[in-house]
Amino acid sequence: IARTPVRGGASFRHTTLAMLAALLAVAIGTGVALGLVYAPTVAGAWASLVWFEREIPFGALIRAVHVHSAGALVIASGLH
């Protein structure tokens, strides 16, 4: 697929679609990692995220990538 030439050259629409696909993959991947430890209770929600950030190697980075990829996904979908 990646080596198939785009008829007429890559356009802005093709570029933003590829960007959307990449951001969606990142958001899903980091979301699954966060969802594995998230406790959806009033008492446990914040504690589970704090534990993830402090105890899991690169946990804070994973959470930050998830937050920023979700925001970028909204912007990229608007551009598309």
Side-chain angles (χ1 to χ4, degrees):
I1 276 183
R3 293 177 185 234
T4 306
V6 177
R7 203 166 165 194
S11 66
F12 184 73
R13 189 170 182 182
H14 288 108
T15 305
T16 54
L17 183 61
M19 189 168 44
L20 276 170
L23 288 169
L24 184 62
V26 169
I28 288 173
T30 56
V32 167
L34 287 167
L36 290 173
V37 298
Y38 181 71
T41 62
V42 175
W46 181 252
S48 65
L49 291 178
V50 169
W51 177 84
F52 186 84
E53 287 186 358
R54 292 183 182 166
E55 300 299 324
I56 302 294
F58 303 107
L61 177 66
I62 293 169
R63 186 174 179 209
V65 168
H66 181 71
V67 169
H68 293 299
S69 67
L73 190 60
V74 172
I75 293 169
S77 65
L79 290 173
H80 180 67

